[in-house]
Amino acid sequence: GIRPRADSWGVEDAARTARLARAPALAFARLDAAAGATLAGIVAASFLLRTAAGWLRATPVYFPDEYIYAELGRSIADSGRPLVRGVAASFPALLQPIVTAPAWLFEDVEVSYRLVQATGALLMSLAAVPVFFLARRLGLGTGLALGLAAVAVAVPDLFYASWLIAEPVAYPLAVTAIAAGTLALAQPTPKRQLAFVLFAGLATFARVQFVVLPVWIAWRVAKWAFGRGGGERRT
């Protein structure tokens, strides 16, 4: 005879989607004052520690990357063009030089260098925010969500927070894109889909390797569709 039997993948994805659907529509509405203050404290502590650690370095040490990104930022600030020693750079990941270009407007190179370091430390520390809200959206408790936010700014990659490379800009954008993609998969509204496309595009513009993010979404959709298609089988 024929009887419906859900594929194991379909069951897992359906249960996950149901949990997301039961969560509040806006996680921001559930952010109380204490949790907000703690989250801000996590970001601030990470920012201060990473900035202080970066300022202990007198000069860039990761050549040629730091040199190239510094040159691109200074060139964009001076001429509006991505140049390295006056030569146009065929360099697709330009978001970091664009974001940090204003810091190079100062005449004192030392001041500019320290401002770029601080900017990177702040941006990378902000990765705690999307991690927290995604955890709350998944129905996790406030304490656990705050713990995950702290882990997001304690991973070894934060070592690069004050370096003049792409990671400080790309990391928070990639984390936000994953959060947006997860919500878009659970409840595919135009706004959520647009948010994912926006953040995934910005992450890719910061670091080309993050072009894999749309591939990840496509894989999840295919897995969900396959699970649905296998929902009924002959026994």
Side-chain angles (χ1 to χ4, degrees), residues 71-169:
E71 280 292 296
L72 289 170
R74 294 176 69 179
S75 174
I76 291 173
D78 293 339
S79 65
R81 299 174 58 200
L83 307 174
V84 177
R85 290 184 173 270
V87 178
S90 56
F91 198 74
L94 290 174
L95 188 56
Q96 192 272 357
I98 292 173
V99 169
T100 59
W104 294 108
L105 293 173
F106 291 86
E107 294 183 2
D108 190 330
V109 176
E110 174 75 13
V111 172
S112 297
Y113 176 56
R114 299 308 182 190
L115 285 176
V116 174
Q117 286 183 303
T119 300
L122 175 60
L123 292 175
M124 217 166 190
S125 299
L126 287 173
V129 177
V131 171
F132 172 83
F133 283 112
L134 177 60
R136 295 295 290 129
R137 190 69 177 83
L138 290 171
L140 301 181
T142 302
L144 183 55
L146 289 170
L148 291 173
V151 170
V153 295
V155 295
D157 298 72
L158 269 287
F159 174 73
Y160 297 108
S162 61
W163 291 34
L164 277 61
I165 52 179
E167 277 77 1
V169 178

Side-chain angles (χ1 to χ4, degrees), residues 4-213:
R5 187 167 68 86
D7 184 88
S8 59
W9 281 354
V11 170
E12 292 175 3
D13 285 344
R16 191 177 299 111
T17 301
R19 287 197 302 271
L20 288 168
R22 288 195 300 269
L26 291 176
F28 289 91
R30 300 190 62 179
L31 181 64
D32 57 35
T38 304
L39 181 61
I42 291 172
V43 173
S46 173
F47 165 64
L48 293 174
L49 289 173
R50 303 297 176 179
T51 300
W55 284 2
L56 293 176
R57 290 192 295 124
T59 61
V61 296
Y62 192 23
F63 291 103
D65 294 61
E66 286 196 282
Y67 173 79
I68 292 174
Y69 279 104
E71 280 292 296
L72 289 170
R74 294 176 69 179
S75 174
I76 291 173
D78 293 339
S79 65
R81 299 174 58 200
L83 307 174
V84 177
R85 290 184 173 270
V87 178
S90 56
F91 198 74
L94 290 174
L95 188 56
Q96 192 272 357
I98 292 173
V99 169
T100 59
W104 294 108
L105 293 173
F106 291 86
E107 294 183 2
D108 190 330
V109 176
E110 174 75 13
V111 172
S112 297
Y113 176 56
R114 299 308 182 190
L115 285 176
V116 174
Q117 286 183 303
T119 300
L122 175 60
L123 292 175
M124 217 166 190
S125 299
L126 287 173
V129 177
V131 171
F132 172 83
F133 283 112
L134 177 60
R136 295 295 290 129
R137 190 69 177 83
L138 290 171
L140 301 181
T142 302
L144 183 55
L146 289 170
L148 291 173
V151 170
V153 295
V155 295
D157 298 72
L158 269 287
F159 174 73
Y160 297 108
S162 61
W163 291 34
L164 277 61
I165 52 179
E167 277 77 1
V169 178
Y171 176 64
L173 290 172
V175 173
T176 305
I178 292 172
T182 301
L183 297 181
L185 285 172
Q187 295 179 350
T189 64
K191 288 184 178 180
R192 291 181 177 183
Q193 292 169 340
L194 179 61
F196 169 73
V197 171
L198 174 63
F199 286 111
L202 288 173
T204 303
F205 191 35
R207 189 170 180 81
V208 178
Q209 289 87 338
F210 284 123
V211 72
V212 300
L213 288 171

